[in-house]
Amino acid sequence: MAMQFYTNIDQIMRDRSELARKGIARGRSAVALSYAGGVLFVAENLSSALHKVSEIYDRIGFAAVGRYNEFENLRRAGVRIRDVTGLALANAYAQTLGAIFSDQQKPFEVEICVAEVGRTPDDDEIYRLTYDGSVNDEPGCMAMGGQAEAIATVLKSSHAADMSLGDAVKLAVKALGSVGGDGGAART
């Protein structure tokens, strides 16, 4: 008689989470922040062939970190959906990521951001979606991938919704450069 192996479901989910987090952490970070004229996405990308930032619709943008082929499939699916809002698109992505995380052997190693430009900076919507389908509303600014927490701390300390595009770019670059140097120091 063959002996079947038993693995606790909690352990399986922890292992999937660890796999996804490690894959995402290896990648370069991306940030999104609102400013007086809209929402700015800034991503580090050493390859000009791989696009981490994209427009989905006229006022809806998409950014991602992690495995390129996985987030590119999500981006393409989002473009095919018609007449949506940023929240509806974020919910569609959340359902897809949640189903993959629960049902497949290997979760997607991605973190994505969907942002919709509002009538005013206070009306801008920024949503952060993680590999397990969790959705977080991120008012004003957010960072993902790599050392996101440290980058987000820099962003939140200086972010203002009424900042100019130039000031928003400077803040994004400062935040992304605040980590990743030798010994965890800032870099250029």
Side-chain angles (χ1 to χ4, degrees):
M1 178 163 62
M3 185 172 173
Q4 294 184 348
F5 293 99
Y6 172 77
T7 304
N8 184 323
I9 192 70
D10 292 335
Q11 184 62 46
I12 292 170
M13 293 304 182
R14 279 192 298 272
D15 290 346
R16 288 180 186 172
S17 293
E18 183 179 341
L19 173 73
R21 280 194 301 269
K22 282 183 179 178
I24 293 164
R26 281 192 297 269
R28 300 222 177 245
S29 298
V31 299
L33 61 149
S34 60
Y35 70 99
V39 176
L40 172 69
F41 288 103
V42 178
E44 293 187 74
N45 193 0
L46 301 177
S47 170
S48 61
L50 304 178
H51 302 286
K52 292 182 171 188
V53 175
S54 177
E55 180 182 52
I56 300 289
Y57 297 108
D58 186 35
R59 302 182 69 80
I60 301 175
F62 173 96
V65 295
R67 294 184 61 92
Y68 178 77
N69 63 325
E70 293 173 350
F71 69 70
E72 179 62 11
N73 286 336
L74 291 169
R75 185 196 67 80
R76 286 179 186 217
V79 170
R80 291 186 187 117
I81 298 173
R82 296 288 176 225
D83 299 323
V84 298
T85 63
L87 178 58
L89 190 58
N91 285 332
Y93 284 140
Q95 289 176 359
T96 301
L97 287 169
I100 291 168
F101 183 78
S102 298
D103 300 340
Q104 303 297 317
Q105 278 294 97
K106 184 202 156 302
F108 273 16
E109 297 172 41
V110 299
E111 222 174 322
I112 63 176
C113 173
V114 174
E116 182 173 10
V117 176
R119 294 189 190 280
T120 69
D122 291 334
D123 295 332
D124 292 343
E125 297 175 4
I126 301 174
Y127 301 101
R128 178 182 184 174
L129 294 97
T130 58
Y131 57 86
D132 63 355
S134 297
V135 181
N136 295 307
D137 183 8
E138 301 281 348
C141 59
M142 57 91 45
M144 59 186 173
Q147 298 174 328
E149 289 179 25
I151 294 168
T153 299
V154 174
L155 280 175
K156 290 176 182 178
S157 70
S158 300
H159 179 261
D162 63 347
M163 58 193 336
S164 69
L165 175 58
D167 289 341
V169 170
K170 287 177 189 173
L171 176 58
V173 170
K174 175 184 171 187
L176 288 170
S178 68
V179 297
D182 293 334
R187 61 194 167 92
T188 303

